[in-house]
Amino acid sequence: MSDDEGIPPDLEGLDRNLSGIRFQPRASLGPEIEGRLRRGETPRGRGRQRSSRQLQVLAGMAASLLLLAGLAVYLRPTASVVVDRCCYDLDGGGVEDDGVLIVAERDARVHRLQVYEDRDRSRHASAGDLIRLDRGDAPAMGAGAAAGLVTTRHCCIDLDGGGPSDDALLVIGVPPDRVVMAAIYEERAETRARQGSANALPLR
């Protein structure tokens, strides 16, 4: 069948019906679209909800990471400093050839305290020095303490890395070359007034 032959007689009625059909939007469509735009609705409502949920999840993850980072900073071990002070007569030998090596938290707790004899005259702790005392984080009297104990005190030095020279070194030994106890304490005027006497100051 070609276009020149026209429409078959049995389809002429259908053709007339189709030719009479007209498409136009309903009268309420315009106001409905306008109302949706006013309410902020978009054609992709589901996609918008999904994006909102994803943002909430990301925000929650970011908040969790910040909280973990804050906890890590808060709970991290306090950084220690190493302080090396030389040279004093700490063993009663009469020669200022002794030093102290201190590992401490700044202006706070002492973790380790060594009294050494500066054998190589380097004026600091080195491998060739003789260790007279090596203690941990609490003052303790060395074993076999004997008669003839002598107490020496050196003030005022920065022994805990805090900055100010407000610390004192207290050493108990047996001349001429034995050290049985060593400790440091802060020598602040307000601390002395609060404690009542230098003998009551807390040793570190």
Side-chain angles (χ1 to χ4, degrees):
M1 181 180 72
S2 65
D3 292 340
D4 295 337
E5 295 178 1
I7 298 172
D10 55 338
L11 297 179
E12 288 180 359
L14 178 61
D15 181 60
R16 281 193 300 271
N17 290 335
L18 291 174
S19 299
I21 295 174
R22 296 288 181 268
F23 292 94
Q24 61 182 13
R26 67 178 190 274
S28 62
L29 183 60
E32 181 181 337
I33 293 174
E34 188 178 344
R36 288 188 178 187
L37 290 174
R38 261 196 242 106
R39 290 192 299 269
E41 294 182 19
T42 62
R44 296 185 178 180
R46 289 184 183 174
R48 185 178 178 184
Q49 289 174 359
R50 192 178 299 113
S51 297
S52 178
R53 271 191 234 104
Q54 288 172 347
L55 285 175
Q56 289 174 355
V57 170
L58 288 173
M61 289 173 64
S64 299
L65 287 173
L66 285 174
L67 178 62
L68 288 173
L71 284 173
V73 171
Y74 179 75
L75 297 175
R76 80 186 188 278
T78 306
S80 296
V81 294
V82 178
V83 179
D84 188 349
R85 295 285 181 261
C86 190
C87 296
Y88 313 97
D89 178 16
L90 301 177
D91 57 12
V95 181
E96 293 184 345
D97 60 353
D98 306 311
V100 286
L101 185 69
I102 299 164
V103 180
E105 296 170 21
R106 288 188 187 278
D107 206 23
R109 184 177 178 183
V110 171
H111 294 291
R112 188 173 185 183
L113 191 156
Q114 283 186 339
V115 178
Y116 63 89
E117 185 175 317
D118 184 27
R119 287 282 181 91
D120 58 5
R121 302 291 188 257
S122 63
R123 303 193 66 81
H124 60 78
S126 58
D129 295 336
L130 178 64
I131 304 299
R132 294 291 186 191
L133 178 79
D134 189 356
R135 51 149 272 204
D137 57 2
M141 202 67 130
L149 294 176
V150 175
T151 301
T152 58
R153 175 177 167 271
H154 294 275
C155 185
C156 296
I157 324 160
D158 178 18
L159 294 171
D160 55 15
S165 298
D166 59 356
D167 305 310
L169 174 65
L170 183 69
V171 180
I172 299 174
V174 180
D177 57 8
R178 189 166 169 219
V179 176
V180 296
M181 199 275 281
I184 67 171
Y185 61 89
E186 284 197 2
E187 182 72 24
R188 291 181 177 174
E190 61 269 25
T191 307
R192 285 200 304 274
R194 201 164 50 243
Q195 296 293 337
S197 89
N199 295 326
L201 292 169
L203 301 180
R204 293 187 290 162

